[in-house]
Amino acid sequence: MPLWTDYLAQFLVAVVATISFGVTFRVSPRHYLACGFTGAVGWLVYVLCAELLTMSAPVATLVAALPLTACARLFAIRHKAPITLFLLCGIFPLVPGAGIYYTAYYFLRDDRTLFANKGVETLKIALALALGMALVCSIPLKRHNKS
Amino acid sequence: MAGNTFEQRMDLILDAGQTMLENGGEVFRAQQTMEIMARSLQLQEFHVYVLTNGIFASARSDNGDGLSMVRHVPLVSIHLGRVEAVNELSRELAQGQLDLPRARHKLEDARAIGSTPPRAERLACVVGSACFAFLFGGAWAEMLVAAVAGLLESVVCQQFGKRRINRIFTDIIAAGLGTLWALGVSFFLPTLDVNTATIGALMVLTPGVALTMGIRDIINADYLSGAIRLLDAVLIAGSIACGVVLAWLAGRGLGAIVW
């Protein structure tokens, strides 16, 4: 199954990519795997939504942000650590870096239609990400935890 | 609690809050931590207001004198290990496992947690850039180019950070150099997908932190701090875009001279 292995490879690479952010943010090494997993779950859901279900990038980002934030919350409770640790690292694969790049690129090419398209899309992705995180973060838990 | 003067307790709490804020804790977390600590240390009428870059606190001592303190936190560098340690400290303090001198000792320990050696940070940047180039559909060539671009960016960030050059300029130069490098390679290797390689390298610079923290601040109703952070995110995104545009312009100019 070449398709299946492709997604597995993407998952693993996303784990490594997220952990590398964990290193730059000096997360203590015992959280590395949890951070990597959080980020990779977000990325995998995003890719699956975008490629298999042909969702638009902002919608796929919104859908991917939900399990990502849920994972971060879960790890925060299980590791008794602030949720920031997992959220800050895990969010990076979904941040619209490509959008920023293409917006600048089309601005330079003086292609106003594509520039406006990409600019609005980048903004939409950022908003979707925010909305997804806000939704999951706001669900109250039965036993209110301070982390 | 012999020798626990009022000022010492107040100092400890503000130091803890400042450590959190400096190392990338959210505003509400710093505020909450300080309030929990104040309750555990039995400070009367403790009030605190935290902003992205400042802490204002006041309390009343046992003999009725008021005391207020202000801390300015101009520079934030993300060190989540320290945030976690202070969080742990406040939890232990609330459970009554620590007295004042031991808490002070633990706080100093937390502040002394070393930062990653610069070499490891550069390595992380290189690996991260290469991974993102792969995720955005790049092959070996794009990954290699992105890895070197990531190295360039991290060296720029570290050197500029050491010289206290402002953040916006640093981002412009880092993004510009990364893009210029990818463009330069594409002159000799026309099959290279410049866009993928560049995006992979730029992902390391994207304002993920500012965006996430801004949203979390806003969710917790710290609108002012959230707005400051979101503005930061927009500025970083803008400077990355600026760097890319400058690099393309420079690349085009150089290309015209060379060819």
Side-chain angles (χ1 to χ4, degrees):
Chain A
M1 288 282 275
L3 192 68
W4 181 78
T5 42
D6 180 43
Y7 285 126
L8 182 68
Q10 293 217 20
F11 184 83
L12 292 179
V13 171
V15 170
V16 178
T18 314
I19 291 179
S20 67
F21 279 107
V23 174
T24 27
F25 296 152
R26 292 98 162 177
V27 176
S28 78
R30 72 187 178 102
H31 300 309
Y32 280 172
L33 266 183
C35 282
F37 187 77
T38 311
V41 163
W43 175 258
L44 194 68
V45 173
Y46 172 78
V47 169
L48 288 177
C49 286
E51 286 178 7
L52 294 184
L53 304 174
T54 57
M55 289 181 183
S56 67
V59 180
T61 308
L62 174 60
V63 176
L66 302 176
L68 187 154
T69 318
C71 265
R73 277 188 89 168
L74 183 78
F75 284 126
I77 296 167
R78 285 193 51 185
H79 289 209
K80 286 196 172 163
I83 186 174
T84 330
L85 258 69
F86 310 102
L87 212 51
L88 274 193
C89 306
I91 211 75
F92 264 93
L94 295 183
V95 175
I100 298 173
Y101 173 78
Y102 281 115
T103 309
Y105 179 72
Y106 290 123
F107 173 72
L108 182 78
R109 296 270 300 268
D110 212 16
D111 192 333
R112 295 201 190 146
T113 330
L114 278 173
F115 162 67
N117 274 351
K118 278 292 168 189
V120 171
E121 197 190 64
T122 308
L123 204 63
K124 271 187 183 169
I125 293 177
L127 279 178
L129 201 56
L131 191 62
M133 260 193 294
L135 278 177
V136 180
C137 280
S138 314
I139 300 170
L141 290 179
K142 226 198 262 165
R143 249 184 51 229
H144 187 71
N145 63 310
K146 273 155 197 153
S147 53
Chain B
M1 285 212 209
N4 292 0
T5 67
F6 171 65
E7 276 87 1
Q8 272 175 340
R9 282 182 280 168
M10 193 76 175
D11 252 348
L12 174 77
I13 293 171
L14 269 112
D15 281 344
Q18 188 177 1
T19 310
M20 272 209 149
L21 218 52
E22 270 172 351
N23 293 296
E26 302 100 314
V27 164
F28 84 95
R29 188 183 302 284
Q31 179 142 10
Q32 205 178 37
T33 306
M34 289 166 78
E35 276 164 2
I36 292 171
M37 287 176 77
R39 215 173 305 139
S40 319
L41 292 170
Q42 286 140 21
L43 275 185
Q44 288 162 19
E45 287 184 48
F46 181 76
H47 295 284
V48 61
Y49 177 57
V50 184
L51 271 180
T52 330
N53 48 9
I55 301 174
F56 309 80
S58 72
R60 194 170 292 284
S61 73
D62 302 328
N63 57 27
D65 294 338
L67 175 69
S68 53
M69 284 174 139
V70 177
R71 291 285 169 92
H72 182 213
V73 187
L75 268 180
V76 173
S77 67
I78 310 285
H79 190 317
L80 295 174
R82 290 187 191 147
V83 175
E84 192 194 351
V86 178
N87 200 51
E88 184 89 19
L89 161 73
S90 86
R91 189 179 313 142
E92 283 174 12
L93 197 65
Q95 287 166 353
Q97 294 171 1
L98 293 174
D99 52 7
L100 187 63
R102 294 225 334 257
R104 169 50 81 179
H105 189 70
K106 263 204 108 156
L107 181 63
E108 294 310 324
D109 281 353
R111 289 177 133 189
I113 296 176
S115 40
T116 337
R119 200 177 297 165
E121 214 169 293
R122 286 199 291 269
L123 182 71
C125 252
V126 168
V127 174
S129 302
C131 286
F132 277 116
F134 173 83
L135 290 179
F136 284 97
W140 287 109
E142 282 83 19
M143 285 172 74
L144 264 176
V145 172
V148 177
L151 180 67
L152 281 176
E153 283 166 3
S154 59
V155 169
V156 167
C157 288
Q158 283 173 355
Q159 292 301 322
F160 280 32
K162 224 184 275 170
R163 289 173 177 71
R164 312 227 157 203
I165 295 172
N166 75 54
R167 184 74 203 280
I168 294 173
F169 186 66
T170 309
D171 279 337
I172 293 178
I173 297 295
L177 266 184
T179 314
L180 202 57
W181 154 254
L183 274 175
V185 174
S186 75
F187 269 117
F188 303 100
L189 202 76
T191 51
L192 181 85
D193 185 356
V194 183
N195 295 349
T196 312
T198 316
I199 291 168
L202 289 185
M203 284 306 280
V204 188
L205 298 173
T206 49
V209 174
L211 185 68
T212 317
M213 305 264 280
I215 295 160
R216 287 197 42 84
D217 282 343
I218 285 184
I219 296 172
N220 289 293
D222 292 315
Y223 299 125
L224 186 55
S225 300
I228 293 174
R229 290 224 159 104
L230 287 183
L231 184 63
D232 194 28
V234 171
L235 273 179
I236 298 173
S239 19
I240 293 175
C242 242
V244 171
V245 169
L246 287 179
W248 275 93
L249 284 176
R252 218 186 259 169
L254 284 178
I257 295 166
V258 173
W259 299 110

